[in-house]
Amino acid sequence: MAAHKIAHATLKGPNVVKEICIGLALGLFAGSLWKMHHWNEQRKTRTFYDMLEKGEISVVVEE
Amino acid sequence: MIEVFLEWRFLTIAPCDAAEPWQLGSQDAATPIMQGIIDLHHDIFFFLILIFVFVSRMLVRALWHFHEQKNPIPQRIVHGTTIEIIRTIFPSIIPMFIAIPSFALLYSMDEVVVDPAITIKAIGHQWYRSYEYSDYNSSDEQSLTFDSYTIPEDDPELGQSRLLEVDNRVVVPAKTHLRMIVTPADVPHSWAVPSSGVKCDAVPGRSNQTSILVQREGVYYGQCSEIRGTNHAFTIVVEAVPLKDYGSRVSNQFILQTN
């Protein structure tokens, strides 16, 4: 019985540094997906206002 | 594919500048201030996602590895100096990255336009609004004033939004610096238009000022944001028109009001 407990106590657990690194990598990946969405929206907004400025599109209904 | 999924999931573009059913995000920005607010939100949301995914991962892994059946004898760890230092310093850096764009936006919102083209006074009443255009009269003449009532629930025309439309809209010129002076006639009110990024409290005995630059023509809806009695949520509708049409629109509005 004692031997079984000792054997169990020496089992290696997870590597903390490795887990933190994987967690950070996943977090940064998810964050970068959001950033890509944000940059895409900014680009669409900028394009919209550029086209509005140039007169290519209009938000005013012609009479 | 991921981009398509994200667009579907986070699509928040409202076809009109008013609240949409089941809307998740902000209304489309009509002013640089609102665009700045949306950008700041996106910047902060990046950190939110980072922390959420990281913490969730740590939690799930801890629950997985240290399950009582797989690991009945826990380790007796009292402290770890290195990890304690890291987990203190790293989270304290994140608010610094958030604070920089936040303060930049905050101070730019507070900047008062020195010489606005137009000044409009919004006066809150129970339960309607009145607007004064004082730029077009000399000191001894009365200002151009009109009232703005919300169209009742049983009275809207086809295509109008329920409890969002008014009989007389605030007409402003697009791409022009405006000054709004907000004050109440009775109890506290608040002049709020989400797509313009404006929320200005009307405090009795005080006039508050805010600057707006509407970047595109359109009709922008808002609601009173300070509870003021039974018919509290009376609405605000700002109509931004091309500068060349502004004069005729405003004079038509006053003619109609006078009649």
PDB file of all heavy atoms in Angstrom, chain B residues 70-87:
ATOM      1  N   LYS B  70      -7.792  11.100 -10.801  1.00  0.00           N
ATOM      2  CA  LYS B  70      -6.489  10.894 -11.439  1.00  0.00           C
ATOM      3  C   LYS B  70      -5.366  11.305 -10.498  1.00  0.00           C
ATOM      4  O   LYS B  70      -4.260  10.811 -10.593  1.00  0.00           O
ATOM      5  CB  LYS B  70      -6.379  11.755 -12.694  1.00  0.00           C
ATOM      6  CG  LYS B  70      -7.153  11.240 -13.859  1.00  0.00           C
ATOM      7  CD  LYS B  70      -6.872  12.126 -15.064  1.00  0.00           C
ATOM      8  CE  LYS B  70      -7.850  11.778 -16.150  1.00  0.00           C
ATOM      9  NZ  LYS B  70      -7.878  12.771 -17.184  1.00  0.00           N
ATOM     10  N   ASN B  71      -5.643  12.284  -9.650  1.00  0.00           N
ATOM     11  CA  ASN B  71      -4.587  12.842  -8.810  1.00  0.00           C
ATOM     12  C   ASN B  71      -5.088  13.006  -7.385  1.00  0.00           C
ATOM     13  O   ASN B  71      -5.351  14.117  -6.922  1.00  0.00           O
ATOM     14  CB  ASN B  71      -4.156  14.188  -9.402  1.00  0.00           C
ATOM     15  CG  ASN B  71      -2.895  14.705  -8.770  1.00  0.00           C
ATOM     16  OD1 ASN B  71      -2.031  13.926  -8.382  1.00  0.00           O
ATOM     17  ND2 ASN B  71      -2.782  16.004  -8.657  1.00  0.00           N
ATOM     18  N   PRO B  72      -5.266  11.894  -6.668  1.00  0.00           N
ATOM     19  CA  PRO B  72      -5.887  11.987  -5.351  1.00  0.00           C
ATOM     20  C   PRO B  72      -5.033  12.692  -4.308  1.00  0.00           C
ATOM     21  O   PRO B  72      -5.543  13.233  -3.350  1.00  0.00           O
ATOM     22  CB  PRO B  72      -6.125  10.524  -4.965  1.00  0.00           C
ATOM     23  CG  PRO B  72      -5.148   9.749  -5.771  1.00  0.00           C
ATOM     24  CD  PRO B  72      -4.933  10.510  -7.025  1.00  0.00           C
ATOM     25  N   ILE B  73      -3.699  12.708  -4.502  1.00  0.00           N
ATOM     26  CA  ILE B  73      -2.835  13.339  -3.485  1.00  0.00           C
ATOM     27  C   ILE B  73      -2.319  14.663  -4.037  1.00  0.00           C
ATOM     28  O   ILE B  73      -1.487  14.684  -4.935  1.00  0.00           O
ATOM     29  CB  ILE B  73      -1.635  12.423  -3.134  1.00  0.00           C
ATOM     30  CG1 ILE B  73      -2.170  11.062  -2.664  1.00  0.00           C
ATOM     31  CG2 ILE B  73      -0.752  13.059  -2.079  1.00  0.00           C
ATOM     32  CD1 ILE B  73      -1.115   9.996  -2.576  1.00  0.00           C
ATOM     33  N   PRO B  74      -2.804  15.761  -3.518  1.00  0.00           N
ATOM     34  CA  PRO B  74      -2.354  17.055  -4.059  1.00  0.00           C
ATOM     35  C   PRO B  74      -0.942  17.407  -3.616  1.00  0.00           C
ATOM     36  O   PRO B  74      -0.497  16.975  -2.551  1.00  0.00           O
ATOM     37  CB  PRO B  74      -3.361  18.045  -3.481  1.00  0.00           C
ATOM     38  CG  PRO B  74      -3.855  17.397  -2.239  1.00  0.00           C
ATOM     39  CD  PRO B  74      -3.782  15.927  -2.435  1.00  0.00           C
ATOM     40  N   GLN B  75      -0.258  18.207  -4.417  1.00  0.00           N
ATOM     41  CA  GLN B  75       1.073  18.704  -4.019  1.00  0.00           C
ATOM     42  C   GLN B  75       0.900  19.823  -3.005  1.00  0.00           C
ATOM     43  O   GLN B  75      -0.068  20.571  -3.061  1.00  0.00           O
ATOM     44  CB  GLN B  75       1.789  19.267  -5.241  1.00  0.00           C
ATOM     45  CG  GLN B  75       2.335  18.206  -6.146  1.00  0.00           C
ATOM     46  CD  GLN B  75       3.088  18.850  -7.284  1.00  0.00           C
ATOM     47  OE1 GLN B  75       2.508  19.544  -8.104  1.00  0.00           O
ATOM     48  NE2 GLN B  75       4.372  18.631  -7.341  1.00  0.00           N
ATOM     49  N   ARG B  76       1.869  19.885  -2.131  1.00  0.00           N
ATOM     50  CA  ARG B  76       1.782  20.949  -1.118  1.00  0.00           C
ATOM     51  C   ARG B  76       2.755  22.064  -1.524  1.00  0.00           C
ATOM     52  O   ARG B  76       3.887  22.100  -1.069  1.00  0.00           O
ATOM     53  CB  ARG B  76       2.141  20.413   0.259  1.00  0.00           C
ATOM     54  CG  ARG B  76       1.098  19.458   0.783  1.00  0.00           C
ATOM     55  CD  ARG B  76       1.430  18.966   2.183  1.00  0.00           C
ATOM     56  NE  ARG B  76       0.460  17.970   2.596  1.00  0.00           N
ATOM     57  CZ  ARG B  76      -0.745  18.250   3.082  1.00  0.00           C
ATOM     58  NH1 ARG B  76      -1.110  19.500   3.239  1.00  0.00           N
ATOM     59  NH2 ARG B  76      -1.569  17.299   3.428  1.00  0.00           N
ATOM     60  N   ILE B  77       2.272  22.936  -2.396  1.00  0.00           N
ATOM     61  CA  ILE B  77       3.118  24.060  -2.824  1.00  0.00           C
ATOM     62  C   ILE B  77       2.706  25.273  -2.022  1.00  0.00           C
ATOM     63  O   ILE B  77       1.539  25.651  -2.006  1.00  0.00           O
ATOM     64  CB  ILE B  77       2.938  24.342  -4.327  1.00  0.00           C
ATOM     65  CG1 ILE B  77       3.379  23.118  -5.133  1.00  0.00           C
ATOM     66  CG2 ILE B  77       3.711  25.575  -4.756  1.00  0.00           C
ATOM     67  CD1 ILE B  77       3.092  23.232  -6.599  1.00  0.00           C
ATOM     68  N   VAL B  78       3.645  25.893  -1.343  1.00  0.00           N
ATOM     69  CA  VAL B  78       3.328  27.035  -0.497  1.00  0.00           C
ATOM     70  C   VAL B  78       3.421  28.334  -1.303  1.00  0.00           C
ATOM     71  O   VAL B  78       2.533  29.171  -1.263  1.00  0.00           O
ATOM     72  CB  VAL B  78       4.274  27.083   0.721  1.00  0.00           C
ATOM     73  CG1 VAL B  78       3.955  28.284   1.575  1.00  0.00           C
ATOM     74  CG2 VAL B  78       4.150  25.808   1.536  1.00  0.00           C
ATOM     75  N   HIS B  79       4.520  28.535  -2.001  1.00  0.00           N
ATOM     76  CA  HIS B  79       4.655  29.754  -2.819  1.00  0.00           C
ATOM     77  C   HIS B  79       5.682  29.506  -3.913  1.00  0.00           C
ATOM     78  O   HIS B  79       6.449  28.556  -3.869  1.00  0.00           O
ATOM     79  CB  HIS B  79       5.060  30.959  -1.961  1.00  0.00           C
ATOM     80  CG  HIS B  79       6.428  30.840  -1.348  1.00  0.00           C
ATOM     81  ND1 HIS B  79       7.572  31.198  -2.003  1.00  0.00           N
ATOM     82  CD2 HIS B  79       6.829  30.367  -0.137  1.00  0.00           C
ATOM     83  CE1 HIS B  79       8.623  30.961  -1.226  1.00  0.00           C
ATOM     84  NE2 HIS B  79       8.191  30.469  -0.102  1.00  0.00           N
ATOM     85  N   GLY B  80       5.654  30.402  -4.895  1.00  0.00           N
ATOM     86  CA  GLY B  80       6.655  30.358  -5.963  1.00  0.00           C
ATOM     87  C   GLY B  80       6.971  31.787  -6.326  1.00  0.00           C
ATOM     88  O   GLY B  80       6.144  32.483  -6.916  1.00  0.00           O
ATOM     89  N   THR B  81       8.139  32.276  -5.960  1.00  0.00           N
ATOM     90  CA  THR B  81       8.452  33.711  -6.088  1.00  0.00           C
ATOM     91  C   THR B  81       8.422  34.181  -7.528  1.00  0.00           C
ATOM     92  O   THR B  81       7.853  35.233  -7.837  1.00  0.00           O
ATOM     93  CB  THR B  81       9.849  34.002  -5.484  1.00  0.00           C
ATOM     94  OG1 THR B  81       9.904  33.429  -4.189  1.00  0.00           O
ATOM     95  CG2 THR B  81      10.107  35.494  -5.395  1.00  0.00           C
ATOM     96  N   THR B  82       8.993  33.370  -8.418  1.00  0.00           N
ATOM     97  CA  THR B  82       9.085  33.811  -9.832  1.00  0.00           C
ATOM     98  C   THR B  82       7.689  34.005 -10.415  1.00  0.00           C
ATOM     99  O   THR B  82       7.384  35.060 -10.999  1.00  0.00           O
ATOM    100  CB  THR B  82       9.833  32.752 -10.664  1.00  0.00           C
ATOM    101  OG1 THR B  82      11.029  32.408 -10.005  1.00  0.00           O
ATOM    102  CG2 THR B  82      10.130  33.273 -12.059  1.00  0.00           C
ATOM    103  N   ILE B  83       6.830  33.019 -10.230  1.00  0.00           N
ATOM    104  CA  ILE B  83       5.503  33.120 -10.837  1.00  0.00           C
ATOM    105  C   ILE B  83       4.696  34.230 -10.186  1.00  0.00           C
ATOM    106  O   ILE B  83       3.885  34.888 -10.848  1.00  0.00           O
ATOM    107  CB  ILE B  83       4.760  31.762 -10.791  1.00  0.00           C
ATOM    108  CG1 ILE B  83       3.590  31.779 -11.780  1.00  0.00           C
ATOM    109  CG2 ILE B  83       4.271  31.407  -9.397  1.00  0.00           C
ATOM    110  CD1 ILE B  83       2.999  30.445 -12.079  1.00  0.00           C
ATOM    111  N   GLU B  84       4.915  34.467  -8.911  1.00  0.00           N
ATOM    112  CA  GLU B  84       4.188  35.550  -8.245  1.00  0.00           C
ATOM    113  C   GLU B  84       4.593  36.908  -8.813  1.00  0.00           C
ATOM    114  O   GLU B  84       3.755  37.799  -8.991  1.00  0.00           O
ATOM    115  CB  GLU B  84       4.422  35.501  -6.738  1.00  0.00           C
ATOM    116  CG  GLU B  84       3.620  34.397  -6.049  1.00  0.00           C
ATOM    117  CD  GLU B  84       3.999  34.199  -4.591  1.00  0.00           C
ATOM    118  OE1 GLU B  84       4.787  35.014  -4.073  1.00  0.00           O
ATOM    119  OE2 GLU B  84       3.525  33.239  -3.988  1.00  0.00           O
ATOM    120  N   ILE B  85       5.870  37.064  -9.088  1.00  0.00           N
ATOM    121  CA  ILE B  85       6.332  38.334  -9.673  1.00  0.00           C
ATOM    122  C   ILE B  85       5.746  38.509 -11.075  1.00  0.00           C
ATOM    123  O   ILE B  85       5.220  39.575 -11.423  1.00  0.00           O
ATOM    124  CB  ILE B  85       7.878  38.386  -9.710  1.00  0.00           C
ATOM    125  CG1 ILE B  85       8.415  38.484  -8.277  1.00  0.00           C
ATOM    126  CG2 ILE B  85       8.371  39.553 -10.556  1.00  0.00           C
ATOM    127  CD1 ILE B  85       9.917  38.361  -8.173  1.00  0.00           C
ATOM    128  N   ILE B  86       5.802  37.422 -11.855  1.00  0.00           N
ATOM    129  CA  ILE B  86       5.300  37.514 -13.237  1.00  0.00           C
ATOM    130  C   ILE B  86       3.809  37.820 -13.236  1.00  0.00           C
ATOM    131  O   ILE B  86       3.331  38.696 -13.969  1.00  0.00           O
ATOM    132  CB  ILE B  86       5.576  36.195 -13.996  1.00  0.00           C
ATOM    133  CG1 ILE B  86       7.075  36.013 -14.203  1.00  0.00           C
ATOM    134  CG2 ILE B  86       4.854  36.171 -15.334  1.00  0.00           C
ATOM    135  CD1 ILE B  86       7.448  34.639 -14.702  1.00  0.00           C
ATOM    136  N   ARG B  87       3.048  37.133 -12.390  1.00  0.00           N
ATOM    137  CA  ARG B  87       1.592  37.305 -12.437  1.00  0.00           C
ATOM    138  C   ARG B  87       1.152  38.623 -11.806  1.00  0.00           C
ATOM    139  O   ARG B  87      -0.021  38.966 -11.833  1.00  0.00           O
ATOM    140  CB  ARG B  87       0.894  36.133 -11.759  1.00  0.00           C
ATOM    141  CG  ARG B  87       0.960  36.156 -10.261  1.00  0.00           C
ATOM    142  CD  ARG B  87       0.169  35.041  -9.649  1.00  0.00           C
ATOM    143  NE  ARG B  87       0.210  35.116  -8.205  1.00  0.00           N
ATOM    144  CZ  ARG B  87       0.183  34.061  -7.428  1.00  0.00           C
ATOM    145  NH1 ARG B  87       0.111  32.844  -7.962  1.00  0.00           N
ATOM    146  NH2 ARG B  87       0.206  34.198  -6.126  1.00  0.00           N
TER     147      ARG B  87
END
